[in-house]
Each structure stands twice: as structure tokens, then as C-alpha cells.
Amino acid sequence: MFLRWFLSIFLNAVAIIGVAQLFDDFQVEGFGTALIASIILSILNIIVKPILIILTLPITFVTFGLFLFVINAITLMITQGLMDDSFIIYGFGTALIASIVISILNLLLNQLVKDTLKK
């Protein structure tokens, strides 16, 4: 259980570093900062994200779940707000696109690791 959580944190940090390499408006100082951001993001996903989903359920339903990307961007912006200048996102649009790319990268990385562990 703990190993799976740590692997998830590690892969999320890799995705954050990947997004930082793709976008100039998304800056991370190093892998240690990405790990800390990944831990904070996972805690926010456990505590804050369910509350936001319940509060925005009607709009999420109307948009066929696409509003969940906005909720992911909000949690990413909260993470950036909790950290110092070592993790910076310039603008909500960047956070929205970054949250989509992080989700895709996490999906691909988790699938790759799952396939590797099965062999």
C-alpha cells in the first residue's frame, strides 16, 4: 500500500518535471521541489478535491465531467500557493493546460509501470 502511494507520488513528480520542461510559464526548481509539490497535490486531492466536486456537481454534470479539469487546475494553483518561489505557475490558463498534460502523463507513466511490473 505504502509502496504504491510512493510510486504514485514519484510518477506524479516526473510528470510535473515533464510539464515544467514543456511550458515556460510553469517553473519547478528541481526534482525535490516536484516531489514536495506532488505530496502536497496528493493531500489536496484527498481533502479539498472531493469538497470542490460536491460543490460544483451541477456544473460538472452539465459539462459532462469536463469541469473536473478546472478543479484539477484549482488544486494545482493551491499547491503553487502553498509552496515558495520554487514552484511557480503564471496564470490559470497555464494551470489548466498543465493539469490536463499532467493527467495524461500520469496515465501513460502508470500504465508503463504497471505493464513493466507484470512482466
Side-chain angles (χ1 to χ4, degrees), residues 91-102:
F92 187 76
T94 303
L96 183 64
I97 295 170
S99 70
I100 294 169
V101 174
I102 288 171

Side-chain angles (χ1 to χ4, degrees), residues 1-115:
M1 178 79 173
F2 180 72
L3 182 61
R4 188 180 309 160
W5 179 77
F6 181 73
L7 184 62
S8 173
I9 295 294
F10 181 80
L11 293 177
N12 195 29
V14 170
I16 289 172
I17 290 291
V19 169
Q21 296 298 317
L22 288 174
F23 301 110
D24 292 333
D25 292 340
F26 190 98
Q27 298 176 353
V28 179
E29 272 189 13
F31 190 73
T33 303
L35 274 175
I36 294 170
S38 181
I39 291 169
I40 293 172
L41 192 59
S42 74
I43 292 170
L44 288 174
N45 282 338
I46 292 170
I47 298 170
V48 176
K49 189 174 179 180
I51 296 168
L52 290 175
I53 289 173
I54 290 171
L55 290 175
T56 62
L57 197 57
I59 194 165
T60 303
F61 183 74
V62 169
T63 61
F64 301 109
L66 292 177
F67 194 74
L68 291 174
F69 289 121
V70 175
I71 292 174
N72 287 342
I74 290 170
T75 57
L76 198 58
M77 291 297 287
I78 293 171
T79 302
Q80 181 252 332
L82 292 173
M83 296 188 66
D84 290 335
D85 293 335
S86 57
F87 181 61
I88 300 172
I89 303 170
Y90 294 106
F92 187 76
T94 303
L96 183 64
I97 295 170
S99 70
I100 294 169
V101 174
I102 288 171
S103 297
I104 293 169
L105 286 175
N106 271 330
L107 178 72
L108 294 173
L109 289 171
N110 282 317
Q111 192 66 29
L112 179 70
V113 168
K114 188 186 297 184
D115 289 345

